[in-house]
Amino acid sequence: MQINVRRIGLIDTEQFADELHNNDINSADLNIAFGDVNAITALSDAVSDKTNWIASSSCLGAMSHLGTDLGDSFVHVMSLQNTQGAIGVASCDISNGNATELAGATIVTAMQRANRLGEMPSLVWIIQAPGQEEAVLDGVQTVLGNSVPIFGGSSADNAIEGKWVQFDGEHLYSNGLVIAAMYTEEPISCYFSSGYTSTQTQAEVTAAEGRVIYTLDNKPAGEVYNHWLQEYGHPPLKPGSILSDSTYFPLGRHKGCKSDPIPLLSHPSKLNDDNSLELFATVKQGDILTLMQGEQHNLISRAAEVTEVVLRTHELNYETRPKGLLLVFCGGCMLAVKDQLETIHASILKKAQGLPFLVAFTFGEQGCFPDGKSRHGNLMISATVFG
């Protein structure tokens, strides 16, 4: 397997298109790309070949070993060549609902395009618009079960305006799903982490619908959450968007295995006038939610930490150094430490030791837990290495 990463700036549209038509990209088995909304939209206009693409807008742009975007329009493209296997990409529009059924049909199409229908992929990689992540995972897992790790991220924009986009090499979506079914002879290793610590504060969801919690322990959810914040020295939040104020205090559900569960995080996004609490993930009545606590230094250091873990795991398991690294980093966490992005970039460079890498800043993260089940969370981080 060969992996190359290119960072192409959207300054001159003609030059941008020319740079996209190079051998690394045109001959790739799969191109994974991230950039801001303008860059991914321009990418969709410039691509004319039939190469497999799985591309998504990323908050404020993206990051790679070649540099970090801070609102500038660049496309970072990771090209996988000579994978000694097969990769199939398929997509659909999920704006009209039925996301579970559509996701099931889309993963089947991706497997067919890889000419491997009936075989379990090594890895499924997904990107999609935020909002229906759990339904999409249900659809993919209806087909594959829990035997295949599913990793990916939800598209983002710069101001949480719903202007995110997804691209499959042919179609540009605003509310789409793109799935890559990957069958590789060379190994792949993945790691999914939160980087937050659990407090002793928790409550049971006693009334909820979708991504809205009405009561916790039979009390208005907003009142309970505000009481928790006050216990940690923070003033009560007023109705409206609370995304930035809740970044360091998400809600966690411990999943994976009983002996060493991993917190699956949900990011409170809005406090409503009726004291209900909206999240960026679905919860159910009966779920036990734990107040999680994050620290700025942990958010800054965890990209390097997950890089170190996944590289060490891969080298121990397969006795080989991988060819490339793909990180999915929550956009909310990134915005909380935006002034430290260069420090984060330098720390990944140090751990990667010359390995090409690509980082997306997403509004939702998908990854596999120790029990083999892949789940959707917020404020998470994942690392995947290939080869």
Side-chain angles (χ1 to χ4, degrees):
M1 183 186 294
Q2 295 175 306
I3 295 180
N4 296 290
V5 174
R6 290 179 177 268
R7 182 178 185 233
I8 304 170
L10 181 61
I11 299 173
D12 182 312
T13 54
E14 187 172 332
Q15 182 182 355
F16 180 82
D18 287 342
E19 290 193 50
L20 282 168
H21 292 288
N22 63 71
N23 288 334
D24 290 348
I25 292 175
N26 286 338
S27 63
D29 297 323
L30 178 67
N31 289 308
I32 304 170
F34 295 99
D36 71 3
V37 173
N38 290 336
I40 299 301
T41 301
L43 169 69
S44 71
D45 291 333
V47 170
S48 58
D49 55 63
K50 297 298 181 182
T51 308
N52 283 330
W53 284 84
I54 183 163
S56 172
S57 56
S58 170
C59 185
L60 297 184
M63 177 190 289
S64 69
H65 65 281
L66 300 172
T68 303
D69 305 339
L70 288 169
D72 299 320
S73 290
F74 287 85
V75 168
H76 300 246
V77 185
M78 174 177 281
S79 301
L80 281 63
Q81 298 172 294
N82 303 319
T83 53
Q84 306 298 314
I87 299 175
V89 173
S91 67
C92 66
D93 190 311
I94 55 174
S95 59
N96 294 323
N98 293 325
T100 298
E101 182 179 340
L102 288 167
T106 303
I107 182 60
V108 169
T109 301
M111 295 164 74
Q112 288 174 329
R113 289 178 176 172
N115 293 316
R116 295 292 184 91
L117 187 62
E119 292 184 46
M120 292 294 104
S122 310
L123 174 71
V124 169
W125 188 266
I126 62 176
I127 60 100
Q128 65 183 90
Q132 301 185 78
E133 289 93 344
E134 291 91 354
V136 165
L137 285 173
D138 285 346
V140 176
Q141 288 164 339
T142 296
V143 175
L144 300 179
N146 294 330
S147 62
V148 178
I150 305 168
F151 275 76
S154 308
S155 301
D157 57 12
N158 292 353
I160 320 176
E161 297 175 301
K163 294 182 178 179
W164 39 70
V165 293
Q166 309 81 39
F167 179 59
D168 68 348
E170 185 176 0
H171 303 100
L172 182 71
Y173 299 98
S174 60
N175 199 344
L177 164 68
V178 187
I179 299 180
M182 305 179 67
Y183 300 83
T184 63
E185 299 297 328
E186 294 189 61
I188 297 174
S189 297
C190 305
Y191 182 57
F192 196 38
S193 176
S194 76
Y196 286 69
T197 56
S198 301
T199 70
Q200 297 300 310
T201 303
Q202 61 180 212
E204 180 181 349
V205 177
T206 45
E209 183 178 358
R211 297 187 169 190
V212 181
I213 307 173
Y214 293 101
T215 61
L216 291 166
D217 286 346
N218 295 309
K219 300 174 184 177
E223 288 184 10
V224 172
Y225 186 68
N226 264 330
H227 176 69
W228 289 352
L229 293 184
Q230 287 176 279
E231 287 183 341
Y232 285 85
H234 291 263
L237 304 178
K238 296 179 180 180
S241 174
I242 60 171
L243 269 171
S244 59
D245 294 307
S246 64
T247 296
Y248 288 105
F249 289 95
L251 303 173
R253 289 163 288 165
H254 289 80
K255 303 287 185 179
C257 57
K258 292 182 179 179
S259 61
D260 189 22
I262 294 175
L264 177 67
L265 304 184
S266 299
H267 192 176
S269 60
K270 186 179 181 182
L271 177 62
N272 294 317
D273 291 331
D274 63 358
N275 261 316
S276 61
L277 197 61
E278 294 187 24
L279 311 175
F280 259 108
T282 300
V283 296
K284 298 178 181 178
Q285 186 172 329
D287 283 345
I288 303 299
L289 299 182
T290 300
L291 182 69
M292 308 296 295
Q293 186 173 15
E295 301 289 345
Q296 186 182 57
H297 66 87
N298 287 336
L299 298 188
I300 293 169
S301 65
R302 67 180 184 163
E305 290 168 358
V306 299
T307 296
E308 182 178 15
V309 169
V310 78
L311 290 176
R312 184 172 66 245
T313 300
H314 191 82
E315 291 169 6
L316 284 172
N317 287 339
Y318 302 109
E319 298 182 347
T320 185
R321 183 164 174 78
K323 309 293 197 316
L325 166 69
L326 180 59
L327 290 166
V328 173
F329 191 114
C330 169
C333 292
M334 181 275 290
L335 291 172
V337 295
K338 183 174 62 174
D339 59 341
Q340 296 295 318
L341 278 179
E342 291 304 329
T343 299
I344 293 170
H345 184 253
S347 70
I348 303 172
L349 280 171
K350 184 176 180 179
K351 295 295 183 182
Q353 296 182 339
L355 200 69
F357 66 81
L358 173 60
V359 186
F361 302 113
T362 54
F363 285 167
E365 298 75 47
Q366 298 81 49
C368 190
F369 277 65
D371 60 358
K373 185 174 177 62
S374 297
R375 297 178 172 92
H376 162 70
N378 311 134
L379 302 168
M380 308 286 286
I381 186 169
S382 75
T384 302
V385 290
F386 304 96

